[in-house]
Amino acid sequence: MESRWSQLNWGDITKRVLRIQKQIYERTLEGKEVHELQRVLTGLFEAKLLAVRRVTQDNQGKKAGIDGIKSLSSNKRWELARNLEIDGKSDKVKRVWIPKNNSNELRPLGIPTIRDRAKQALALLALEPEWEAKFEPNSYGFRPGRSTLDAIEAIHSSINKKPKYVLDGDIRKCFDRINHEQLLLKLNIFPKMERQVRAWLKAGIVDGSSELFPTEGTPQGGVISPLLSNIALHGMEEMLLKWIETIPAYNPGGTILSKSARRSRLTFVRYADDFVVLHPELEIIKEAKERISKWLEPMGLELHPDKTSIKHTFLEKPGFNFLGFWIRNYPVQRREEGKRRSGYKTYIRPHPDNISRFLSEVRKVLVSTRDVKVVVQRLNPIIMGWSNYFRTTASKSTFTSIDKVLMTKLMNWARKKHPRRDQEWVRNKYLHLDGNRKRFGYLLGETLVGLKYCAETAIVRHKKVTGKASPYDGNWIYWTLRGRDIANRRVSLQTLIRPAVKKENAPGVDYTSLLWIA
């Protein structure tokens, strides 16, 4: 069994699954039914193998469900794939509580058993291509080929030419309050899959010594939960755009704007249950808030009164926090000629709250140890992860400022460790020459093992994903050139792109040199 699993050709397996997914995607775009293809895919042994691999190897969880299993041997993986079926049954879910990012509150996380995680991954393979063809272009959360950076770039494109009012919305306990019946009605899936999804929604939740049976919501922590929440919120953008078409708007010449021009004035961007609506007129933003509230009611959801607010990107107290970014228009000196005649400039930077949380994580590491090797080992991933997240925005000055604060904290840590030594001795021990600058770290023989600095991260502008583009659309050259790792499909993308590259023969572009990206 051990050799059987290790000898599987994952390139061929992924390619076969992806071929059926592409058919589901294309038939959905054509308005045709895809239930039969979804049945075929969920019964395909290759799809079962891929589902098991994704939950046991590619995405191993840190916590186990009520079965107590976090990982499987090759023998067990093969047996799980052989016995995997969409059977309408579900094991109980183990509930754990984890802290929220922005507060001291705890949020519930539902951990399914490893068998249910594999079944959910199998269902996801069948359902995701259908909904990728349906999802709105400005939905970016928990979708293949999309990220927070796409959402931020969409907002930048909306406000870099004209400041706007912003409805910064947050849905209260979105995962916990989704109406089961409305969600299943919206899913519109074949009976066998509907019974399975219903079983997951109604599965008992074990919380310590008590057991709950939910009547609403989808447990966070399941493989399929992000897709279900996206489906529940699908349609909000189109509802707003259809409404804005009916409101007359005029250009400076006094003629009425076309429907497409009216739609372009309103921008809607959603990442999971966080969203923003942008428009030049305050009354439109206020009305949009009321319409969204009414639209959410049938799904059992509501806007969070404390976290939903109306702001402006340039006036009064400008700017807003979205996904950790501080987004606003800054005043600049007016010029008679050039690009700054409007008197403002759009900058997106790390939000002060996010900076505070980052420095708090640094402080926790420094307080927890007195070993310089442990400090460097623990801080480097934190610094590089945080810097890489903000590397696509105007963060250079922020990075430089944070490095100064970081160095102060490190030297204070070093002086406390050696209270009887003078400052020069401490500097000579922990600061070592690295090129033309001093780096905090330690010497391993003659090799310097030093701390990374935020300002060393290069600023690289992110290019937003095009419209409704999806990894299932078959445009392999587009996705390869974006440099994306789409759901661990490296091998299949390399295999599938080579014929397309040969046919493309685009002048001035060496596509074959870019195959490593896939």
Side-chain angles (χ1 to χ4, degrees), residues 170-185:
D170 182 90
I171 300 171
R172 188 204 291 266
K173 296 183 178 180
C174 178
F175 279 85
D176 300 332
R177 296 187 175 182
I178 293 174
N179 184 291
H180 290 174
E181 298 305 321
Q182 288 293 322
L183 176 60
L184 290 169
L185 187 65

Side-chain angles (χ1 to χ4, degrees), residues 395-411:
S395 304
K396 200 67 177 180
S397 60
T398 304
F399 287 170
T400 302
S401 299
I402 287 177
D403 282 344
K404 293 179 181 178
V405 176
L406 185 61
M407 186 56 64
T408 301
K409 288 181 177 294
L410 289 168
M411 295 315 297

